[in-house]
Amino acid sequence: MANHQDETRTAYDGVVELYASLFANRLESQPFARAMIGTFAELVCATGNPRAVDVGCGPGHLTAMLNELGLDAFGLDLSPGMIDHARRAHPELRFQEARMESLPVEDGALGGVLAHYSMIHTPPDELPELLAEQVRVLAPGGLLLVSFFGTDGPEPVRFDHKVTPAYSWPADRLADLLTDAGLTPLARLLHDPASERGFLDAHLLARRS
């Protein structure tokens, strides 16, 4: 896992300002993703535990959105460049460099985990480890929202992402991984792509058993 994560960190460190500028609108042009994040925040608040983490937070735009939606959210990212940008852009919020397979969070501490396109660079055989770690930090009844590129085929598809190689997933296959990790899928949203790659934009919402 270390090799591809090192490559991913280096790749994102090289595009911090460009990446931050592309997502500065904080989903204003993505109503489906915005609606799913709003639903996620509402359900996390309803658990009575508003603590949440934005894993793979990048420049921190969604961490800020989660806080505006009533959560006590903080951001984690592999890229020190992204974390530096997030801290400068949102000095009132908490950001920390971390790997997704080893989150600096105590067991069962959080009401929510947001993974917004942050696991797309993970090879399929390594994804269960990341999901297990996210389940570890969730309190019983806590929620996970995973957003990713969806495909209609039976298997994950590797493709050349503009930053570093990534994978699209059949929604059913990823939902099965969530179940195997100890989560109960609650909702899914698949919609037409917003890019020339032709993949679906996909969102899965699940609760820890």
Side-chain angles (χ1 to χ4, degrees), residues 42-128:
E42 181 177 344
L43 292 175
V44 172
C45 286
T47 70
N49 180 359
R51 290 188 65 197
V53 62
D54 178 10
V55 294
C57 65
H61 56 301
L62 296 186
T63 314
M65 179 182 290
L66 292 177
N67 278 275
E68 291 170 5
L69 291 170
L71 299 183
D72 177 17
F74 60 99
L76 302 175
D77 201 279
L78 180 69
S79 161
M82 289 291 183
I83 290 297
D84 179 66
H85 185 283
R87 287 171 173 166
R88 288 185 283 110
H90 307 284
E92 74 284 5
L93 301 180
R94 295 164 291 149
F95 297 96
Q96 182 178 340
E97 184 180 345
R99 291 179 178 265
M100 282 191 287
E101 76 274 17
S102 182
L103 300 176
V105 181
E106 59 271 29
D107 293 355
L110 304 181
V113 173
L114 175 67
H116 189 78
Y117 294 92
S118 55
M119 295 189 289
I120 62 172
H121 304 294
T122 303
D125 61 344
E126 296 178 8
L127 195 60

Side-chain angles (χ1 to χ4, degrees), residues 17-205:
E17 297 305 322
L18 174 61
Y19 188 91
S21 69
L22 291 174
F23 295 97
N25 67 5
R26 290 165 54 181
L27 304 183
E28 289 175 9
S29 62
Q30 300 178 51
F32 292 111
R34 192 170 66 246
M36 286 298 286
I37 290 176
T39 299
F40 164 78
E42 181 177 344
L43 292 175
V44 172
C45 286
T47 70
N49 180 359
R51 290 188 65 197
V53 62
D54 178 10
V55 294
C57 65
H61 56 301
L62 296 186
T63 314
M65 179 182 290
L66 292 177
N67 278 275
E68 291 170 5
L69 291 170
L71 299 183
D72 177 17
F74 60 99
L76 302 175
D77 201 279
L78 180 69
S79 161
M82 289 291 183
I83 290 297
D84 179 66
H85 185 283
R87 287 171 173 166
R88 288 185 283 110
H90 307 284
E92 74 284 5
L93 301 180
R94 295 164 291 149
F95 297 96
Q96 182 178 340
E97 184 180 345
R99 291 179 178 265
M100 282 191 287
E101 76 274 17
S102 182
L103 300 176
V105 181
E106 59 271 29
D107 293 355
L110 304 181
V113 173
L114 175 67
H116 189 78
Y117 294 92
S118 55
M119 295 189 289
I120 62 172
H121 304 294
T122 303
D125 61 344
E126 296 178 8
L127 195 60
E129 181 179 352
L130 299 193
L131 293 174
E133 180 67 354
Q134 290 167 16
V135 171
R136 179 188 68 79
V137 302
L138 277 174
L143 293 118
L144 168 66
L145 175 59
V146 179
S147 298
F148 57 99
F149 294 110
T151 183
D152 290 327
E155 300 293 335
V157 175
R158 187 179 186 274
F159 67 95
D160 291 327
H161 186 274
K162 291 180 179 179
V163 180
T164 190
Y167 298 83
S168 65
W169 277 83
D172 286 340
R173 285 285 304 278
L174 192 50
D176 287 343
L177 290 184
L178 296 181
T179 300
D180 292 344
L183 297 162
T184 302
L186 298 179
R188 70 175 65 183
L189 174 61
L190 308 176
H191 57 94
D192 289 339
S195 75
E196 67 278 5
R197 284 186 292 264
F199 297 121
L200 297 171
D201 285 320
H203 314 271
L204 289 176
L205 181 64

